[in-house]
Structure formats: C-alpha cells, structure tokens
Amino acid sequence: MKYTLILAAEDGASPEVGSEDWASYAAAYGTWNKEAAEAGIHRGGEPVEPPTTATTLRKKDGKIEMFDGPFAETKECIIGWYLIECEDLDTALEWAAKMPLVAYGYGAVEVRPVTDLSKLLD
Amino acid sequence: MGSLDDIFHAEWSRSVAWMMRQSGDLQMAEDCVQDAFVAASVIWLRDGFPDNPGAWIRTVAKRKLIDKARQLNTVRNAQQALAYETASPTPEMEFHESQDISDDELALIFMCCHPAISATDQVMLTLRLVAGLPPVEIATAFFYKKEAVRTRLLRAKRKIRDANIPFRIPPLAEQDRRLNSVLAAIYLIFNEGYLPVRGPSLQRRDLTREAIRLSRLVCTLAPNSTESQGLLALLLFTDARSPARISKDGDLVPLTRQIRSEWHSEQIREALSVLEQLVEPHKEGLYTLQARVAAQHAIAGTFEDTNWKNIVAYYDRMMAIEATDVIKLNRAVALGYAGWPDDGMAQLEELAGSKVALGMGYLSAQAELYLLSGNKGAALQCFQKVRDQQESEGIRRAIDRRIAEIETPTDR
C-alpha cells in the first residue's frame, strides 16, 4: 500500500539555512531517509520551493488561465512530499510521526493513501 | 433461550467482527450480518430458535458474503463458493466457531475507535458496528438527520478501507494509548445519554445502557486493562444515581438533595467490587480515579457525610496525571467542601481567563465556594447568573430552588 506524505509548514517556521539548528534539523532528514530506505519503504520524495515560485493553471470559460501563486492561499504551505510503501495506515503514521518536520514541531504532515488504479478499474 | 433481542446483543458485534475477518471489508461484513439477522427474524419465528444462534447467524452471513462476492464478480475462491452452494446441510453443522473470535471482536472495536477517525465518527462507528444500533436510532440519539448519519458512517467506513486502517489488536506498546480512544468513545456515548446536550429529555437511558454494555464488553475482551475496569465502575456508579436524579416534576435533582435510598444499590455494589478487584490498581488513570470519587459519594449515607478529604486526594492524583482545567475546577469545589474554601478560591482564580471560566461549571463552583466561605451575597449573584444562562427549564427550576433555599435556609 502506497502513501503520500505531504509536508506543510508556515513560512519561516523552520530554522534558517546554515544556522546551527538547521544543521541538526537537516541531519534528521538524512537519518529519516536512511532508515526509511533500510526499512524498504522509501519510494521517493523532494522538497519544493516556496509558494511564491508557484504557477497555477485552471480552465475558465474554455480558456486555460494562468495564475501567479499556489492553488490555495493558506497559512501553511506545501514544502515537500514523500512517497512510501508500507503495510497499513498505522505503519505510515509511525513514519510520519518520525518525520523531522513533525518531530521538531516545525509543521504538519498529511498522510494520504495513493489511489490503487488497478482496483479502480475493477 | 433469550429473546431475539438478547441474541442480537450477544451476537451482533461477534458476527460483524468474524465477517470482517472473512471478508476484509467492513461494509460487506455489516451488510451480511444485517441480512442474516433479517433472515433469522423470519425463519426463527417460523421454525423456532436454533441450538446455536450465533453460529447460525455467522453461517448465513458467510453465505450472503459469497452471494454478494459472486454478484460483484470478485470471488477470490470460486471453488469455495461452489462448495457452499452445492452442499446444503443445516447452518449449525457448517459453522465451526473459531477460538479467536473474541480477538476479532476486540480488533473491530480498536478499528472503530482508531485515532485517525474523528471522535464523532468513532462514536457512530462503535454504535453501529459494535452496539448494532441502526443509523436511524443513532440519528435520534444525537439529533442528527438520518441521512447525515448514513453519510458520515459511509465516509468513515470508506476511510478505514481506502487508507487501510488495520484490522488487528494493536501491538502491546500501543495498547494503552489505543484503548484510551476506545474508552473515550464509550464515555462520550454515556455522557450523551446522561447529560444530553440537545433535546428535551434530561437523560437518555438507551444510550447510558448501551455505553455500560460496551464498557462491560471491553472489560471482558481486554481483561488486563485497569482503566477499562475503572470506566465500567465510573459508569455504574454514575448511572446508579439515575432514579434519584430526576424529580417527579421532571427536574434535575442535584447530588446534594438526591434521596440516596433511591440509588440502585445493586449497581453500586457491583461498581465497588469492580474497584476492589482492579487488575493493576497502581495503573489507575483518570477514569479509575473518577470512579474512586464516585465511590466516595456512593458509600456516604448523606451528602454531609461525604469524605471530601479523600476526594481532594483523588483529584490531586488526577492532577498528577493530567492537570486539565475541568479537573482543576472539580478540585476547587472539593477543596471547599473539605473545609478549605480559600484554597478552592485560589484554585479557581488560576482558571480565570481560561475557556472553562466562561462555562456554567465555573460560575456554579464560584457560587458554592462563596457560600462555603460565608459570602451569601456573592454566592447568590453567581447562582443568578448561572440561572439566566440556562436553557433547560428543569435545570433552571432546580437553581431557583437552590436560590430560595439560600435566601431562607431550612433543614434539608
């Protein structure tokens, strides 16, 4: 079973890049990645640039319009994602709880099961 | 042999749990067991009750599962299905009761009360899948629209399926924490019955009874959980006061004025013995400690005889576990009755500005403490404020009586 972990945080919640706090925080991601890989559940993941860099497309009156910014203006913004594959929700929640973003208290992780397309076609 | 109703209560959750193990799908499990009980209500009334009604229900439910699976064209094992169809012995002979059906039942309860499901949905799932209440009864109990309940249940069951919430008893390290959400759901059900937030009635015995039944079930299924036993004792003590809690005129009677001989003495005895036989008394949590407080009330001949110093000690122990505002509030009142109204006031002042301070409980506590420290005028002012904020006629009348009593004291 695959789960997407969507990482969200408020702007400026995590320590400044290069600071001492940042060093340990970044190292924690290294540990998480390593442990997840060893457990055989890591299927990918990337951080993303802040919402100020986002471009959103939406069709309106038959025309595709382009907006500068994210699809939804929220206080917490998506800052990255992971894809994991594991037994069940409990296991996914365990890995989400260990995610440095949550463990350090800098933001939130949303756990979403990935749609199984093969079942969809049943 | 019990009635169909007794059998339903005894076999519903066991059957749903067993069918969940068989089918791996909660909706399917529920539908099949539902169908089996519908069949039973017709066939049993015609032919008489079978020797083993539970086995009968589960056998028929399993057949329904195979029928439905075939209709959906997703039979995993078509041969097995065929074997069921061609052989047609009596249901009693087909079904072999598995030993771990109780484990399945506990797993079902854990699944319904999974922390990834909202508290409201946990309550609804538990009432539907464990207690067997039809959605329309859940809707009546909580003053929801019938359709809203159906939609919520459906959505919650889909989340369990699509997010793959596991059907199992959680690992030992997790069990206490997970059991706490189960107990919280049962406690919510009880409170909805005991202190209905909505609706005209002051108590709903159907819900309190259901909560006690669920609480007993958890004690049986998880015999090593001290807090489960604590919750059962708490619910029994609290429910035992029901007959004295509502006056003939339909008003709420406060603990101070309840006629204690009207309390269910047998239920109190049971609760006391549950408390005496806790598996691991040192593992007491908030439910057990609340039960110990309730026990102090239960064994006191009159309100005046209550051992408030013991009660304060129990609140101290609760504070050591979790110093919530509600516990602080109750502790403040207990301090007052124990003869330390000034300490009670000090405790209350700590709560000023918190959410609790906006509620009725805070004002009532303040009123009682003023009274206990001899400041009648301030007490009356508080009671008046509480009264004006009440929406329930019954409670308002009860406060009026209390006010009259303070203004012209008589013997109780």
Side-chain angles (χ1 to χ4, degrees):
Chain A
M1 179 98 189
K2 283 184 189 145
Y3 296 90
T4 311
L5 310 183
I6 301 160
L7 283 64
E10 279 180 41
D11 192 29
S14 50
E16 213 173 307
V17 177
S19 69
E20 216 170 287
D21 285 347
W22 179 79
S24 94
Y25 184 51
Y29 275 97
T31 311
W32 193 95
N33 281 316
K34 188 169 157 275
E35 283 177 6
E38 278 166 7
I41 63 145
H42 203 307
R43 297 287 176 272
E46 302 285 354
V48 295
E49 288 296 311
T52 47
T53 65
T55 311
T56 303
L57 306 177
R58 203 187 291 274
K59 194 164 180 176
K60 211 176 168 189
D61 304 326
K63 252 187 8 203
I64 290 175
E65 283 188 9
M66 205 176 279
F67 299 94
D68 177 12
F71 66 89
E73 289 286 355
T74 49
K75 229 168 146 198
E76 278 179 323
C77 301
I78 295 171
I79 59 160
W81 58 273
Y82 277 95
L83 183 67
I84 61 172
E85 186 164 11
C86 59
E87 182 73 13
D88 52 35
L89 184 68
D90 281 355
T91 318
L93 294 175
E94 264 171 49
W95 284 99
K98 281 198 279 187
M99 180 73 65
L101 182 68
V102 177
Y104 280 68
Y106 295 141
V109 170
E110 181 176 319
V111 181
R112 286 275 277 270
V114 171
T115 306
D116 184 346
L117 286 175
S118 68
K119 272 190 191 159
L120 210 66
L121 297 171
D122 253 358
Chain B
M1 176 62 64
S3 63
L4 187 59
D5 215 33
D6 291 338
I7 294 168
F8 182 84
H9 281 306
E11 301 296 345
W12 167 269
S13 58
R14 286 171 65 76
S15 303
V16 173
W18 186 78
M19 284 304 292
M20 176 65 202
R21 173 73 61 206
Q22 304 295 310
S23 67
D25 186 274
L26 209 43
Q27 185 66 58
M28 188 68 98
E30 177 192 339
D31 289 347
C32 292
V33 174
Q34 176 73 44
D35 287 354
F37 271 104
V38 169
S41 67
V42 176
I43 295 170
W44 296 0
L45 291 182
R46 193 190 61 202
D47 302 344
F49 285 29
D51 291 337
N52 187 344
W56 192 101
I57 291 291
R58 288 184 278 281
T59 305
V60 171
K62 174 104 188 224
R63 285 180 166 178
K64 302 267 180 200
L65 169 69
I66 290 159
D67 287 350
K68 284 180 205 279
R70 191 180 293 123
Q71 279 165 17
L72 288 171
N73 200 19
T74 52
V75 185
R76 270 183 229 136
N77 189 340
Q79 274 180 326
Q80 191 194 357
L82 211 67
Y84 262 85
E85 199 181 42
T86 46
S88 54
T90 62
E92 291 90 312
M93 293 166 67
E94 274 183 39
F95 183 80
H96 302 289
E97 196 87 329
S98 89
Q99 271 180 309
D100 48 19
I101 195 159
S102 294
D103 285 353
D104 288 345
E105 205 176 359
L106 188 56
L108 176 71
I109 296 173
F110 276 121
M111 190 177 221
C112 291
C113 297
H114 194 282
I117 296 169
S118 77
T120 311
D121 288 356
Q122 287 179 24
V123 163
M124 289 201 187
L125 284 172
T126 306
L127 284 175
R128 175 67 196 125
L129 296 166
V130 186
L133 252 62
V136 54
E137 276 180 37
I138 300 173
T140 314
F142 290 91
F143 296 90
Y144 287 127
K145 290 209 173 78
K146 199 173 72 188
E147 269 324 298
V149 171
R150 277 188 214 286
T151 312
R152 286 196 83 124
L153 278 168
L154 210 62
R155 206 179 49 201
K157 280 180 279 194
R158 277 199 194 132
K159 173 161 185 184
I160 288 177
R161 188 192 62 198
D162 295 342
N164 200 18
I165 288 179
F167 178 62
R168 60 152 194 216
I169 296 174
L172 215 58
E174 297 269 304
Q175 264 176 36
D176 280 352
R177 193 175 60 88
R178 290 288 309 275
L179 212 44
N180 264 333
S181 16
V182 172
L183 301 182
I186 296 174
Y187 192 55
L188 268 175
I189 294 168
F190 184 86
N191 277 335
E192 187 57 42
Y194 199 70
L195 305 161
V197 193
R198 292 161 289 255
S201 51
L202 288 168
Q203 55 188 5
R204 304 193 38 110
R205 296 308 299 278
D206 47 346
L207 285 179
T208 52
R209 260 193 296 265
E210 213 53 74
I212 290 175
R213 207 196 320 266
L214 286 165
S215 177
R216 278 189 209 283
L217 179 64
V218 172
C219 284
T220 313
L221 296 174
N224 292 321
S225 156
T226 304
E227 271 292 85
S228 301
Q229 295 168 339
L231 178 66
L232 176 61
L234 174 62
L235 301 190
L236 288 170
F237 278 130
T238 313
D239 185 68
R241 296 184 203 147
S242 302
R245 216 176 134 246
I246 313 270
S247 73
K248 282 189 199 77
D249 312 325
D251 294 352
L252 204 62
V253 183
L255 187 59
T256 45
R257 298 181 57 91
Q258 288 178 14
I259 299 166
R260 299 188 171 207
S261 59
E262 289 177 0
W263 290 355
H264 280 300
S265 52
E266 211 170 296
Q267 214 168 296
I268 288 174
R269 265 197 302 278
E270 187 194 347
L272 286 170
S273 95
V274 171
L275 272 189
E276 272 160 30
Q277 292 165 33
L278 291 176
V279 270
E280 288 174 289
H282 65 281
K283 276 197 174 175
E284 64 182 14
L286 295 181
Y287 294 120
T288 308
L289 283 164
Q290 286 180 79
R292 291 197 195 285
V293 170
Q296 291 298 319
H297 292 301
I299 59 175
T302 62
F303 184 77
E304 288 70 23
D305 289 341
T306 313
N307 188 334
W308 286 100
K309 295 205 161 65
N310 278 351
I311 292 180
V312 169
Y314 294 139
Y315 280 119
D316 287 344
R317 269 143 80 176
M318 286 186 220
M319 295 270 284
I321 296 171
E322 200 185 350
T324 66
D325 288 350
V326 174
I327 292 171
K328 284 182 189 165
L329 185 66
N330 289 328
R331 182 172 175 274
V333 178
L335 280 168
Y337 282 121
W340 304 304
D342 293 345
D343 296 305
M345 276 295 184
Q347 174 86 75
L348 266 195
E349 269 154 33
E350 239 182 78
L351 291 170
S354 72
K355 220 169 134 191
V356 173
L358 302 171
M360 229 71 78
Y362 185 83
L363 268 175
S364 310
Q366 223 173 12
E368 293 296 342
L369 286 169
Y370 276 131
L371 203 60
L372 287 162
S373 52
N375 191 345
K376 245 189 188 185
L380 283 170
Q381 268 184 347
C382 291
F383 275 125
Q384 200 63 52
K385 267 194 240 168
V386 179
R387 187 210 175 275
D388 295 344
Q389 286 181 27
Q390 279 299 338
E391 277 171 32
S392 151
E393 274 299 322
I395 296 176
R396 218 158 29 203
R397 273 198 299 271
I399 300 169
D400 281 340
R401 256 196 302 278
R402 185 93 176 93
I403 291 174
E405 211 174 70
I406 298 164
E407 283 171 337
T408 45
T410 49
D411 285 331
R412 269 212 193 105

